[in-house]
Amino acid sequence: MVNGHDIYELKERSPVIIPCTDTVLKLVVTNGFHSSRVVGVKCKPGIHFYEVESFIDNIQLLTGLVMTLLFFGIYIFTGAFLFLLFANVPLLIMLFVFYIKRHSFIQVHVLIPDKKGRIS
C-alpha cells in the first residue's frame, strides 16, 4: 500500500514500478495478516530498488522441521525428556515470530546498485 490508498500487487520475482508523485512515499507491505513497518521513501530522480522478504525463509523453516524431527526421534528412542523440550523449541520460536512479532515478519530492504549497475 502506498500513502495509505494506492494498492499494488507484488508477485514473486517480478518488479513493480510505483510512480512518485509526492515528495515522500509511505510504503506498507502486507499479506493480509502480517504487515511491514511503514517505510518512508524520499522521492529523488532515478530508479530505486527495494526487496521484500519474510523474517523466516524456506531454509530456516526446513532447518527447524529437521531439528524438531531429529530431537523428537532421539526422545522416542532414549526417553530423555530434555530432547522432547528441544524438539519444541524451533516450533515455539517460529510461532513467536509469526504471531507475536508479526509486524517484523515482513521486511523491506533497500538494494543499492554497485558501480557497474548490478544490484547486490
Side-chain angles (χ1 to χ4, degrees):
M1 185 175 341
V2 178
N3 290 336
H5 53 81
D6 294 330
I7 298 175
Y8 294 88
E9 181 181 1
L10 291 175
K11 294 183 180 178
E12 192 169 345
R13 304 219 185 264
S14 64
V16 174
I17 298 173
I18 300 173
C20 188
T21 56
D22 297 333
T23 57
V24 176
L25 290 178
K26 294 181 181 177
L27 301 174
V28 176
V29 179
T30 183
N31 65 359
F33 181 73
H34 299 98
S35 62
S36 68
R37 295 188 172 133
V38 177
V39 178
V41 177
K42 291 182 182 178
C43 294
K44 298 177 187 175
I47 298 173
H48 306 282
F49 298 97
Y50 296 91
E51 179 182 30
V52 177
E53 64 181 8
S54 64
F55 190 77
I56 300 174
D57 63 359
N58 292 337
I59 300 299
Q60 291 171 331
L61 190 62
L62 184 63
T63 303
L65 176 67
V66 168
M67 287 178 55
T68 297
L69 292 174
L70 177 72
F71 285 133
F72 189 69
I74 293 172
Y75 166 72
I76 293 290
F77 288 117
T78 64
F81 186 71
L82 185 64
F83 288 107
L84 182 61
L85 294 175
F86 285 154
N88 289 311
V89 168
L91 178 65
L92 294 174
I93 289 172
M94 286 186 227
L95 288 174
F96 175 77
V97 169
F98 195 76
Y99 288 109
I100 306 299
K101 303 280 279 182
R102 65 182 186 174
H103 292 291
S104 300
F105 189 75
I106 296 178
Q107 299 175 346
V108 179
H109 301 288
V110 177
L111 296 177
I112 301 171
D114 62 5
K115 293 180 182 178
K116 294 182 181 177
R118 296 182 304 227
I119 299 173
S120 57

